[in-house]
Amino acid sequence: MKELTATGTLLRLNLRRDRIKLPAWVIGLAFMAFYFSNAITLAYPSQEDLSAIVSFMQGPAGTIMTGPGYGLDDPSYSTVFAAVYGFYLLIGAAFMNVLLIVRHTRQEEETGRTEMTRSSVVGRHSPLAAAMLLALIANAALGILIAVAMSGTGYGASGVILFGASVASVGLVFAALTSIAVQAVEHARTATAIGSALIGAAVVIRGAGDVLEEQGSALSWFSPFAWAQQTRVFVDPRWWPLVLCLALAVLSVLVAYALESRRDVGAGFVAPRLGRNSATKRLSNPLALAMRLDRSNIIGWAVGLGIAGLLYGSLADSVQQSFTDLPENMVAVMGGDETQMLEGFLSIMVFFTSTLAACYAIVSVHRLSSEENSGRAEAILSTAVSRLTWVTSSLATALIGAFTLLVAAGFSMGLAVALVLGEARYVPELLVGHLAYLPAIAVIIALAGLGFALGPKYLNLAWFVAIYGIVMGYFGPLLDPPELFLQLSPFEHVARVPSDSLQAWPLVALALVALIVASGAVGLFRRRDMTTAA
């Protein structure tokens, strides 16, 4: 038991440090469950509306976007909620746990704080145990709050409890899987990328498996998301799929402990490659160095978005058959024109992949914080490189990376649609549709830079803006919020090509806003102190 000495003390420390961030995640997800479970009655006021939306969700596109859906032959508000919105709460819980585990394990080792902590009476496995206990508490609180938030909807007590338990179980699975990822690599950013890639892989596997066979095929069972959806909440309640979640979580934690026993503090189980003794003159440029450091991320995200573009584009022909008798609200989501439902679907897919590019951009800007905390930024700034050059190089790298991702997603989606429908015009249209989001992503990058300039702890403010924009983009037409709420999202100022015609002036305005905010960020950063390595 000496390996777990002081676990309780570290758990209290983690709770203290996460007293704002973690409650924000938990309460935010619970609020989403409360809001969507109540707003669905406004979005689909009649049984005919529910039946019409079900006809879309049972098609290939709807199945990939949400899940197999159960009890949709005679849809109710509870079954439609679980089929349409439940999947996104599962994804949110997964991301919360990936970030939580990386923050309290690998990031602590990277900054040297774990070594300092371990120099006292602290067991080898205590930091990881404290992080996993924190994840267990957070997921339990999330499951309970979701059940409480939905208790007034009339969905049934047993159903909301099972749904809350499903969300908590999926979160715990990804916390445990991330505990292995943080043993494998030395850097927190890479561990976060691995955790995010695991989520993406689970989403793709579930979508592909659910399309192959009605209500899920054997392939679906290789995804933790499918296990939660196979509980068939509100229809045919089954608790046993959650046993798979708990079993995988326990097994993953045991593997993580075994790996941790075989490595040094601060080191990864996979040894990094040694670099060359000397670098080319090209890397003496701060922008070239930033691009080199972010090269793997850009390539990985570009490949992923390229595959996603091919997948969504290949569905263009089959999804047209699903667009029959959709309710008015769903037509609004698809662009509001019943004669251009395919263009509406493609516009949503363009929006989806573009928002993923925005997520990459925020992750890329986060590198500024890790460079500062590790002390590498201080070493660079001790040379002839100014703060202005260092920060702008990193922001420019995020913008160039986002541009690369948009090109990869736009070209692959356009190519797939052109091959399926035999219309080559979709290649340039969808490429332009993706690139139109670049100014909005530039605003997100500038806001992330502004948060970093205020202090590394404010860097996550950009996530709130991005998530707000994603929620407004997806659910704004359904929920009909005040126009001001929509205008606060930078994504809402971009025309949804090919459904809408491209307009230049909003893009110019977004670019100017990004330039002004980025300039303010650089000015603020030049006036604050640097955080040195521990």
Side-chain angles (χ1 to χ4, degrees), residues 267-350:
F269 195 75
V270 178
R273 293 181 304 172
L274 293 177
R276 298 177 180 175
N277 292 330
S278 59
T280 63
K281 289 185 178 180
R282 181 173 54 84
L283 289 181
S284 62
N285 183 309
L287 177 60
L289 178 60
M291 288 294 298
R292 174 64 181 82
L293 293 173
D294 217 27
R295 182 180 62 180
S296 299
N297 269 342
I298 294 174
I299 294 174
W301 279 82
V303 171
L305 287 185
I307 294 174
L310 287 172
L311 176 64
Y312 296 137
S314 64
L315 296 172
D317 187 31
S318 59
V319 296
Q320 293 186 94
Q321 303 173 13
S322 303
F323 295 143
T324 56
D325 299 328
L326 287 180
E328 182 179 347
N329 288 323
M330 199 61 205
V331 173
V333 172
M334 294 295 174
D337 189 345
E338 294 183 351
T339 63
Q340 295 187 337
M341 297 302 286
L342 175 60
E343 280 72 14
F345 166 75
L346 292 175
S347 300
I348 291 179
M349 295 299 101
V350 170

Side-chain angles (χ1 to χ4, degrees), residues 459-471:
L459 212 159
N460 286 323
L461 291 176
W463 281 112
F464 288 97
V465 178
I467 292 173
Y468 178 81
I470 292 171
V471 171

Side-chain angles (χ1 to χ4, degrees), residues 377-528:
E378 196 170 17
I380 293 175
L381 294 175
S382 65
T383 66
V385 177
S386 67
R387 290 191 175 199
L388 171 66
T389 304
W390 182 66
V391 171
T392 53
S393 297
S394 294
L395 297 183
T397 297
L399 188 63
I400 294 171
F403 172 82
T404 306
L405 268 53
L406 293 173
V407 170
F411 180 77
S412 61
M413 188 182 296
L415 181 63
V417 177
L419 291 175
V420 170
L421 300 182
E423 298 184 44
R425 67 180 176 89
Y426 280 107
V427 176
E429 279 190 21
L430 293 179
L431 184 58
V432 170
H434 277 83
L435 291 177
Y437 281 95
L438 189 61
I441 296 175
V443 173
I444 298 293
I445 293 172
L447 289 172
L450 181 63
F452 171 74
L454 292 171
K457 65 181 179 180
Y458 297 107
L459 212 159
N460 286 323
L461 291 176
W463 281 112
F464 288 97
V465 178
I467 292 173
Y468 178 81
I470 292 171
V471 171
M472 287 293 109
Y474 278 120
F475 303 110
L478 292 177
L479 306 178
D480 194 23
E483 184 64 21
L484 176 61
F485 287 8
L486 290 174
Q487 296 301 318
L488 290 175
S489 166
F491 299 119
E492 290 300 316
H493 301 278
V494 181
R496 293 197 172 187
V497 178
S499 183
D500 299 328
S501 300
L502 189 64
Q503 295 184 344
W505 69 266
L507 307 184
V508 174
L510 286 170
L512 288 175
V513 170
L515 184 61
I516 293 171
V517 175
S519 300
V522 173
L524 286 173
F525 178 63
R526 296 175 66 181
R527 289 170 173 77
R528 79 164 171 89

Side-chain angles (χ1 to χ4, degrees), residues 153-173:
T153 57
Y155 288 179
S158 60
V160 297
I161 292 174
L162 178 56
F163 181 73
S166 301
V167 175
S169 299
V170 168
L172 205 56
V173 166

